[in-house]
Amino acid sequence: MHHAPLIIDIAGTRLTAVDRKRLQHPLVGGVIYFGRNWQDREQLTALSAAIKALRPDLLIAVDHEGGRVQRFRTDGFTPLPPMRALGRMWRHGKDGKARLGKHALAAGRAATACGYVLASELRACGIDFSFTPVLDLDYGSSSVIGDRAFDSDPRVVASLARSLMLGLLQAGMGNCGKHFPGHGYVKADSHVAIPVDRRGLKTILKEDVLPYGWLDNALTAVMPAHVIYTKVDEAPAGFSSRWINDILRGQLGFHGAVISDDLSMQGARQIRGQSLTHAEAVLAALRAGCDLALLCNQSLDGGKVLDQVLDSVSEAVVKGQWELNDVSEERRRALLPQAPAMPWETLMRNPAYISALETLSTVYAD
């Protein structure tokens, strides 16, 4: 078994000769889609088929959560609600308190429907995996998280996330809890800055981390946050063996795949005040305990960065500066769907899908 830890992107709506060469590199294990890779369903399905014809084991992934983070919205794709809408549905009532009742049960049903619609539509177009759900708590201070979070109460977050993950599973898709241990408390956006959370470990464990502990047997992947928790480690969580190995794996007992957040982000390439190249960031994430390293938007303008990363990581392997990991490869392959997907036309007539659409419509009802 050969460890393929890199998830990369492609520039357009069809594979180029350069794309094909990169995707056949033994260190590449997946592709992440963006809006620029979308023209219509027919094109997207053909692109996915071309990638799988090249290498059936490649993981085709996308950030497709619902709300403002939904890459495909037209040509039959269902507009999905932001996760906050499900949290508000749970709390519907005179006092708005988070208690289990008929509204909570209805919200859970809607979350399962959301997961099923999300996953079955993506899978019908050849996509294996979505980086969802967000498990961050909504403290009302983070603009980058905002309505992507279910709620401020970890009990509500965990319950709705489990329901959503059930829907994903029913359509044959895994899940990815993010952003461990929690991105909701900090204001800064890690796409452009380095968020710092100065709370102590005990506080974070008894609040933000709770959903991860409660969902440990249902999570198939976890994405660490590009956030520095100064009371725990000077390095961002995605570069921290303490967060990944000691806390997530050791203390919480998580055995699935750990996938870095986008290592192209400004906040992703800083460790203890030092700026890293993309290749250095990839190796730092893998050495810290990530099984997969995500590099987004680097295929544009020729993809020079991607080629540099592939060369540098290959060199590190040859020189013994980093070892390929069979366990990490098993975790990557476990994210691939185990059963064939329903084609789009079949899905449109499927009773479970039609029922899920009806249930999902209740999220928007008064």
Side-chain angles (χ1 to χ4, degrees), residues 208-264:
D208 303 62
V209 170
L210 286 177
Y212 293 90
W214 291 333
L215 296 170
D216 64 338
N217 63 344
L219 284 168
T220 50
V222 165
M223 179 177 285
H226 287 324
V227 176
I228 299 173
Y229 305 86
T230 53
K231 300 277 180 65
V232 184
D233 196 333
E234 294 177 350
F239 296 127
S240 169
S241 178
R242 182 162 188 214
W243 276 116
I244 297 171
N245 293 318
D246 297 349
I247 299 173
L248 179 61
R249 294 211 184 280
Q251 198 167 326
L252 300 180
F254 177 67
H255 298 293
V258 176
I259 307 172
S260 83
D261 205 342
D262 177 16
L263 295 173
S264 302

Side-chain angles (χ1 to χ4, degrees), residues 2 9 14 17 20 51 79 101 126 166 218 224 266 278 293 326 336 359:
H2 189 85
D9 65 293
R14 290 170 177 78
R20 291 175 183 275
I51 291 171
L166 174 60
Q266 179 65 34
H278 290 81
D326 285 350
L336 292 162
T359 301

